[in-house]
Amino acid sequence: MEVIITEWAKQSYLDLRQSQTFNRIDYKFTMRPDAELLKIYPHDPKFSLSKFWGPAIDSANKIIPHGFKMKWHNMGNGNVQIRLLVAILTTDVSGITEERAFLCQSYAKTGSNQDKREMEKLKIRMTRIVQGKYFYRGSL
Amino acid sequence: MIPFITSAAQKVRVYQIAANMKVAGLENEFIANLVEMASEYEGAYNLMELWGTEENQNERNEIISDLQDEIEDLLTAPKKPTKKPYIKFDDLESIANDVVGFKQHLKTLVDNWGGINKLARESGIPQPSLSRFFNSATMPRRTTLYKIANAMGLSEKEIITDWAA
């Protein structure tokens, strides 16, 4: 499966990088390889680990269809939890309609209120992806 | 995905929250754009609802900043998936530093001109959004830069950056 890096994801990585939330080693040896597992989704045992992968849940506690979160714990210099929100959708890109994984946004989890906001933003972005109204920065 | 269609009750709720936003001092342009967006995007509707039920002012400000980001992003969205150049991980830090440096310079101009609250009034950009804008490393949107420049009477040259999104 193709893994698309959306502009939203890239912008969120810029912020996390600037704030030193994760370092080069975190990225090279954990975050990037884990994100690349999406290429063979769901055929890797890590996708059955709830500490690593699970459905996205909205502010009303409902599962967001086609929305998921990848989770990393104890990242960077402290006990930072990083979330990567992913949409798995069948859409048309450059004339080819197929199922793809879209990296939508990443953030350091600070609390449940922030989680709720990020999930609602994910919903907006998933609709935008289906509508084709988005920028992307290539694929993994 | 199932398209989001607001019910009659949800439409009324949107107008109620919009009226409360006006009382809270938010600008007409922001509220009008938001009402339109909430009719099409469930996430925007739910964020409005979160604002409507939230009592903590800091949290309300975060929601306003999120909504303004999503509104600006939608207003500048392409009509079809559009690829921008790839950015390597190793370049992220230097780009982020450049963006932060640019924003710090712009913030100095804003402070000398009259400050963020004045800029919020003159530009129509909610104050919490401006605070987030100046404190983040995300690439500034050209539309945001133009609003700031027009409000402050800055020239194009003064808002040029290599990293405008």
Side-chain angles (χ1 to χ4, degrees):
Chain A
M1 178 156 58
E2 186 179 14
V3 182
I4 301 263
I5 306 164
T6 67
E7 175 72 0
W8 305 304
K10 187 59 78 178
Q11 292 284 356
S12 64
Y13 267 50
L14 266 180
D15 241 358
L16 292 177
R17 194 73 188 100
Q18 170 66 18
S19 59
Q20 308 286 323
T21 304
F22 64 87
N23 57 37
R24 185 184 163 79
I25 292 170
D26 292 328
Y27 178 79
K28 294 285 182 192
F29 295 101
T30 304
M31 296 168 71
R32 172 89 189 202
D34 282 347
E36 293 212 12
L37 292 176
L38 289 163
K39 291 177 180 175
I40 55 166
Y41 174 83
H43 304 295
D44 187 281
K46 286 190 91 169
F47 289 115
S48 58
L49 298 175
S50 60
K51 277 191 172 180
F52 171 72
W53 180 256
I57 310 286
D58 74 7
S59 58
N61 245 353
K62 289 181 186 162
I63 287 178
I64 301 171
H66 314 289
F68 300 90
K69 52 186 173 185
M70 194 173 276
K71 304 178 252 188
W72 294 289
H73 308 268
N74 305 320
M75 300 296 280
N77 296 324
N79 294 325
V80 180
Q81 295 185 48
I82 295 179
R83 298 283 184 266
L84 172 63
L85 302 188
V86 179
I88 296 181
L89 295 163
T90 301
T91 60
D92 180 296
V93 179
S94 304
I96 300 169
T97 300
E98 61 184 19
E99 188 174 65
R100 296 179 174 86
F102 293 85
L103 309 185
C104 288
Q105 73 233 48
S106 193
Y107 60 98
K109 184 179 174 180
T110 56
S112 61
N113 284 344
Q114 179 209 22
D115 250 352
K116 287 178 184 173
R117 290 190 285 106
E118 294 292 343
M119 294 299 164
E120 296 306 338
K121 284 157 64 179
L122 173 67
K123 270 198 213 173
I124 294 171
R125 291 161 184 188
M126 288 174 70
T127 305
R128 295 263 310 266
I129 289 168
V130 171
Q131 293 171 332
K133 295 179 181 176
Y134 66 95
F135 291 103
Y136 65 106
R137 292 275 185 178
S139 49
L140 288 182
Chain B
M1 281 181 66
I2 302 165
F4 177 60
I5 299 168
T6 42
S7 66
Q10 285 173 321
K11 282 177 184 156
V12 171
R13 181 66 180 143
V14 163
Y15 294 134
Q16 282 175 338
I17 298 170
N20 291 339
M21 285 180 163
K22 181 65 184 166
V23 172
L26 291 161
E27 296 293 328
N28 287 340
E29 185 183 346
F30 168 80
I31 298 170
N33 284 330
L34 180 54
V35 166
E36 203 168 309
M37 192 175 183
S39 69
E40 188 178 357
Y41 295 88
E42 186 180 5
Y45 174 84
N46 288 347
L47 280 169
M48 271 188 100
E49 188 66 70
L50 283 176
W51 185 91
T53 55
E54 181 60 58
E55 292 178 355
N56 181 290
Q57 190 55 46
N58 289 337
E59 185 56 32
R60 275 191 150 191
N61 287 346
E62 292 292 335
I63 296 168
I64 294 301
S65 298
D66 283 339
L67 285 167
Q68 175 66 14
D69 278 348
E70 298 304 318
I71 289 168
E72 287 274 340
D73 199 60
L74 182 60
L75 291 174
T76 55
K79 291 193 169 78
K80 61 179 185 177
T82 302
K83 189 174 181 182
K84 288 186 173 185
Y86 187 75
I87 294 177
K88 293 179 194 162
F89 173 80
D90 289 337
D91 294 333
L92 278 179
E93 193 165 5
S94 65
I95 292 171
N97 287 337
D98 284 352
V99 170
V100 168
F102 168 76
K103 287 183 176 180
Q104 282 173 348
H105 170 69
L106 189 57
K107 176 71 165 43
T108 303
L109 295 178
V110 170
D111 289 341
N112 292 338
W113 172 75
I116 278 192
N117 287 334
K118 182 180 175 187
L119 181 57
R121 283 195 305 274
E122 299 292 326
S123 67
I125 302 171
Q127 186 269 333
S129 300
L130 287 169
S131 295
R132 182 185 286 184
F133 171 87
F134 285 114
N135 286 310
S136 80
T138 54
M139 296 176 185
R141 292 187 189 86
R142 286 187 199 285
T143 50
T144 306
L145 292 176
Y146 286 147
K147 281 183 182 174
I148 292 172
N150 289 337
M152 295 173 62
L154 297 176
S155 69
E156 179 88 26
K157 191 179 175 187
E158 289 170 288
I159 54 159
I160 283 180
T161 168
D162 290 337
W163 301 111

